[in-house]
Amino acid sequence: MTSVRPALLVPTATYRLQLQPGFPFAAAARAVPYLASLGVSHLHLSPVLEAVPGSAHGYDVVDHARVRDELGGEQGLRALSRTAREHGLGLVADLVPNHMALSARHNHALWEVLREGPESPYARWFDIDWEAGGGQVLLPVLGGPLGAEAGRLTVDGDVLRYCDQVFPLREGTGGLPLTALLDAQWYRPVWWRLARTELNYRRFFSISELIGVRVEDPEVFEATHAKILALLREGVLDGLRVDHPDGLADPDGYLRRLHEATGGRWTVVEKILADGERLPAAWPVAGTTGYDALRHVDGLFTDPAGAGELVGRYRRFAAPQTDRGGAWAATVRRAAYRVLGHELAAEMDRLTRVAHRVCAGAPDPVLRDRAPWALRTALRELLVRLGVYRPYASTDAAEVVTEEAAEEAKAAYAVPEEAGAVDVVRDLLLGRHGELPGVAELRARFAQTASALRAKSVEDTAFYRYVPLLAATEVGGNPGAPGVSPADFHAYCARVQRDWPTTGTVVSTHDTKRSADVRAALAVLTECPGRWADVLAEVVRDGEGGPDAQLAWVAWQTVFGLGPAAPERVREALLKHVREAGLYTSWTEPEPPYEEAVAAFVGTGPCGPPGARVAAFRAALEPYIRANVLGTALVHLTMPGVPDVYQGTEGEYRALVDPDNRGVAMFPPPEPGAKNALTAAALRLRARRPDAFGENASYAPLPAEGPAAAHCLAFIRSGQVITAVTRLSLRLEEAGGWSGTHLPLPPGHWVDLLDPERRFTGHARVADLFESLPVALLERSAEPQPNGVIGAP
């Protein structure tokens, strides 16, 4: 495969910092000496541009021309860059091209659009369907229907006030009565619930507070990227992480333009690849942010057979209907239908309008006389059958919008002639009717809707409904088949080294639903599903079954993975879980009695006296959890790609979904342990031997030999570095241990960097290799070291 890649300042490893008012640039600068000593080459910063005041994440950008004041402004960023460079570090920043905050008082560009309407120079910035809104932008900002909220709308000079929100008034309208005044504006403030069906601007997923930006327009691209590009040119920044390119109208074109504008700086994209999907080869990027790596690393430490048994135990315990959380494919399909008809109803309406305009104005009679409902049905049925996030202009859409899916979709129609709408829509998406007016927009909006659907139906719904193994419900994961064999892992790594050797890799991020250490603990349950079911049966017999059996399963797995924790952390995570699942309550239609029962259950069950039974069970499994934790860390840090270490995860780090995992980082960690030492050893090795891990490095499996060979996963990088880890350690012990298993080492003498007094040569006994730790990191020694050598020549 041939692809264009940035050639400048490629990191050896990055360290992600979550900047926020409580952890600004100055705090990051104070952490630089420690982070430099850890062995990373670059700091990976969350968004640095001006955001909504108080934002804890920075993805709600309001001004692309300014570095965020609450973080220390541009002066603070430049000072951080200087400090980093003094310690040999560079900076990589998170870039948010898809959306801005819908905060009129802070977003100057949006303010001008609301004041001047479609004639504003800034109107081209935002993806607004003015015609659908009757010439007004719908703003879902009111707490209730207009009639109930009218008294809270007041005119103050040339602005309209509502609670703490401020909106500009169209010139000459300030003296009108309220109803006439509202009718005269370029916007219409409405009850927030109307956003579901009436919204007429593109947003981020179903988050109405984030309005889509049209970076496909060259002028908009230049205006929204000028500051970041200047910081790159001046050497303040060295690389970029692109947030959510799947939301853009033309990701291919955007990434080409970005590559040219940056001069080929190292850039990775937040692209979620479905199982078996490949990153478009034409994209001029270093690769992804690494969720595909996360899935493969997690899968290594998951027992496929045990995972299957766990599904059966889950079904018997929770007894869910197969389409409400008992079967993965059915759960995803049901969630997709719900999302399109509920959260993304406005997006479906806009997509249908575009399709109907194309057909109504087409010269080919085959496209005419297609009812909007028939086109909407065709679009819906094709969307729910996509197996990936979205199609791209640079890939064959027929591989995504398949003929098989089209044939299945026709079953939604009672009249065969009306089912022809499916072929019409598919042919338009595949370009079989040529470039008719509106077809390019249809393709773009279909793809954008597809990405929002995938995120909302899979990650934000199905992952919360299908819960046999919580560790598998992670971004980019495949809960229907969570295990990854060593052979498949090696094949994946070989492809990465060949095709995308400087891609990003991660195991914990600001977006992971559970940190890597929590998932590593949960993976042990696939090695003992029967014992887990017995533990749950005991606590349920004690009367702690919770509001419903599915929630109980989730709650007990949560405290098993997390270990001892404050009840409020568990409570907030579980409340988010049940709202996302949308089975008994939701964010928009909450059921207070159910949520109160969930909160009460946390205190009396998982975080109450019965929780001691699960805590004891976890304590008994601690050696196997430790093997997974250390194995996950070492594989991640030494496999092909550029590892990104999330703040705090160099040490033991147990966190749940945001905001639990987005707190202020502490440097250095208060209690360094084996994982800290392992992380530092691997990162310092990467810094010292970049040739062994970089673009021109090599990767090869190193198979063990003997009865327990399947439990030793090993590989060699560039003939110089060997990683060896224990997998499925509980199963290993039950089978009798290593029992004469050996790891044939390449010629030479090998030093264990995790214990430099230990050296190996020849056929190393795996029992010796893992005598003190369940992992080993070996480096070829320049000179023979006769003392302490283990193995036979």
Side-chain angles (χ1 to χ4, degrees):
M1 165 185 150
T2 301
S3 63
V4 181
R5 270 188 215 94
L8 303 174
L9 301 171
V10 176
T12 60
T14 61
Y15 192 100
R16 167 81 180 205
L17 293 172
Q18 285 298 109
L19 301 169
Q20 51 187 291
F23 189 85
F25 297 132
R30 289 192 292 272
V32 163
Y34 162 73
L35 296 175
S37 70
L38 193 61
V40 300
S41 65
H42 289 68
L43 304 185
H44 172 190
L45 307 179
S46 59
V48 300
L49 298 182
E50 195 65 66
V52 172
S55 173
H57 51 79
Y59 290 95
D60 43 3
V61 176
V62 295
D63 189 347
H64 294 91
R66 294 172 56 206
V67 176
R68 189 175 176 186
D69 286 339
E70 288 181 301
L71 301 180
E74 187 166 337
Q75 182 177 355
L77 176 60
R78 290 179 179 274
L80 170 60
S81 179
R82 288 193 298 271
T83 300
R85 295 196 187 290
E86 288 170 1
H87 290 79
L89 302 183
L91 301 183
V92 172
D94 211 334
L95 178 64
V96 190
N98 179 70
H99 51 266
M100 296 181 72
L102 190 83
S103 176
R105 68 185 302 172
H106 301 113
N107 186 337
H108 171 73
L110 180 62
W111 179 275
E112 292 302 309
V113 172
L114 297 182
R115 186 168 65 90
E116 300 180 8
E119 298 305 315
S120 167
Y122 292 98
R124 66 195 305 164
W125 279 42
F126 303 106
D127 194 352
I128 299 169
D129 188 346
W130 292 96
E131 182 179 348
Q136 292 180 305
V137 184
L138 184 137
L139 298 182
V141 296
L142 303 184
L146 179 60
E149 299 295 307
R152 306 174 75 180
L153 289 162
T154 60
V155 174
D156 183 4
D158 58 355
V159 301
L160 177 68
R161 295 187 179 276
Y162 174 74
C163 299
D164 62 346
Q165 299 191 64
V166 182
F167 309 97
L169 290 178
R170 191 172 176 178
E171 186 176 356
T173 64
L176 295 174
L178 181 61
T179 302
L181 180 143
L182 294 178
D183 288 343
Q185 304 311 314
W186 291 111
Y187 56 90
R188 183 163 70 99
V190 300
W191 186 18
W192 65 268
R193 296 188 68 86
L194 270 65
R196 184 171 71 84
T197 55
E198 309 303 316
L199 204 69
N200 64 330
Y201 60 84
R202 183 173 62 83
R203 56 187 166 173
F204 174 62
F205 297 158
S206 60
I207 303 176
S208 301
E209 293 81 5
L210 297 174
I211 184 170
V213 179
R214 298 182 62 253
V215 291
E216 64 270 22
D217 185 311
E219 290 187 21
V220 178
F221 176 91
E222 291 174 10
T224 55
H225 288 66
K227 175 56 66 177
I228 285 291
L229 293 175
L231 293 171
L232 282 166
R233 284 194 300 270
E234 295 173 32
V236 177
L237 301 176
D238 301 298
L240 298 172
R241 171 205 185 263
V242 180
D243 180 71
H244 188 50
D246 275 345
L248 305 179
D250 180 18
D252 302 76
Y254 170 78
L255 293 173
R256 286 195 300 270
R257 185 176 289 118
L258 183 65
H259 176 73
E260 294 170 0
T262 66
R265 297 299 183 97
W266 185 82
T267 299
V268 291
V269 291
E270 187 196 24
K271 169 61 192 162
I272 313 301
L273 296 169
D275 208 358
E277 184 184 6
R278 301 286 183 264
L279 189 67
W283 283 9
V285 298
T288 73
T289 53
Y291 286 113
D292 45 317
L294 182 153
R295 180 176 72 248
H296 284 84
V297 175
D298 277 4
L300 263 185
F301 300 94
T302 301
D303 181 6
E309 184 180 343
L310 199 62
V311 171
R313 301 277 184 173
Y314 162 68
R315 288 172 178 163
R316 289 192 288 276
F317 180 88
Q321 300 174 21
T322 57
D323 62 348
R324 290 172 69 85
W328 173 239
T331 301
V332 171
R333 182 66 57 85
R334 181 183 177 90
Y337 279 121
R338 179 188 180 278
V339 167
L340 285 179
H342 196 266
E343 290 99 322
L344 299 181
E347 284 74 10
M348 279 300 294
D349 284 347
R350 187 170 186 180
L351 184 57
T352 301
R353 290 195 299 270
V354 174
H356 187 251
R357 283 200 302 268
V358 171
C359 291
D364 189 340
V366 171
L367 302 180
R368 297 290 187 95
D369 293 339
R370 300 295 174 180
W373 75 263
L375 294 171
R376 182 188 184 93
T377 301
L379 290 163
R380 180 191 69 202
E381 297 299 321
L382 290 174
L383 282 167
V384 300
R385 287 169 172 79
L386 291 185
V388 297
Y389 262 67
R390 59 169 286 169
Y392 301 100
S394 60
T395 57
D396 184 0
E399 295 179 1
V400 176
V401 189
T402 66
E403 186 174 349
E404 292 77 10
E407 289 304 311
E408 286 183 17
K410 293 175 183 177
Y413 298 82
V415 178
E417 289 80 5
E418 291 174 335
V422 174
D423 291 328
V424 166
V425 169
R426 183 169 184 264
D427 287 346
L428 288 171
L429 295 173
L430 299 183
R432 292 176 176 172
H433 289 283
E435 294 302 317
L436 298 174
V439 166
E441 182 184 2
L442 175 66
R443 289 193 200 116
R445 295 204 183 282
F446 181 87
Q448 289 172 307
T449 305
S451 70
L453 172 63
R454 183 81 177 180
K456 294 303 298 179
S457 63
V458 177
E459 295 169 16
D460 291 346
T461 304
F463 277 5
Y464 291 92
R465 292 183 176 184
Y466 183 81
V467 292
L469 176 64
L470 291 182
T473 56
E474 196 49 81
V475 182
N478 180 7
V484 173
S485 70
D488 287 344
F489 177 80
H490 288 313
Y492 165 77
C493 287
R495 287 195 304 272
V496 170
Q497 184 60 48
R498 181 191 68 213
D499 298 339
W500 304 98
T502 58
T503 187
T505 65
V506 295
V507 289
S508 292
T509 77
H510 63 292
D511 278 334
T512 44
K513 293 173 174 29
R514 294 159 195 90
S515 65
D517 290 357
V518 173
R519 300 196 311 275
L522 288 167
V524 174
L525 298 181
T526 66
E527 301 179 63
C528 56
R531 291 168 61 184
W532 170 246
D534 291 342
V535 169
L536 288 195
E538 288 184 23
V539 295
V540 170
R541 278 198 302 269
D542 292 339
E544 294 303 333
D548 64 89
Q550 189 182 59
L551 183 275
W553 180 279
V554 170
W556 291 111
Q557 271 204 22
T558 297
V559 295
F560 174 87
L562 190 59
E568 56 267 24
R569 292 179 65 197
V570 178
R571 181 172 60 250
E572 291 306 309
L574 290 182
L575 286 173
K576 177 165 184 169
H577 185 104
V578 296
R579 289 166 182 163
E580 296 284 13
L583 294 174
Y584 304 102
T585 187
S586 70
W587 294 105
T588 55
E589 286 86 30
E591 288 290 337
Y594 179 79
E595 295 192 1
E596 290 166 6
V598 171
F601 169 58
V602 171
T604 60
C607 293
R613 178 69 184 88
V614 173
F617 181 56
R618 179 189 164 108
L621 297 176
E622 196 60 45
Y624 319 109
I625 294 173
R626 181 171 181 258
N628 281 4
V629 167
L630 297 180
T632 294
L634 185 57
V635 168
H636 169 227
L637 295 171
T638 56
M639 69 187 292
V642 177
D644 186 43
V645 179
Y646 187 62
Q647 60 179 29
T649 60
E650 68 271 26
E652 186 176 37
Y653 184 82
R654 304 179 192 174
L656 302 177
V657 70
D658 68 275
D660 189 63
N661 65 351
R662 296 187 182 183
V664 173
M666 295 179 60
F667 300 107
E671 297 181 7
K675 189 183 175 191
N676 292 83
L678 178 154
T679 302
L683 291 174
R684 291 167 186 167
L685 174 63
R686 292 188 72 103
R688 181 165 50 82
R689 300 289 300 272
D691 56 308
F693 297 94
E695 187 159 7
N696 297 317
S698 65
Y699 174 94
L702 193 62
E705 297 176 351
H711 292 279
C712 177
L713 185 285
F715 53 83
I716 185 167
R717 305 301 314 276
S718 305
Q720 302 300 315
V721 176
I722 293 173
T723 289
V725 301
T726 306
R727 57 184 298 271
L728 309 184
S729 57
L730 176 56
R731 296 288 200 203
L732 170 67
E733 182 177 277
E734 292 172 343
W738 291 114
S739 184
T741 303
H742 291 79
L743 184 65
L745 303 177
H749 292 75
W750 298 85
V751 177
D752 184 357
L753 297 182
L754 306 181
D755 185 356
E757 296 301 315
R758 287 162 28 95
R759 297 174 174 84
F760 298 87
T761 188
H763 280 57
R765 294 176 66 246
V766 176
D768 293 335
L769 195 66
F770 297 144
E771 181 180 19
S772 56
L773 290 173
V775 299
L777 177 61
L778 308 181
E779 182 182 17
R780 189 189 294 274
S781 175
E783 298 180 2
Q785 302 289 335
N787 296 327
V789 172
I790 304 173

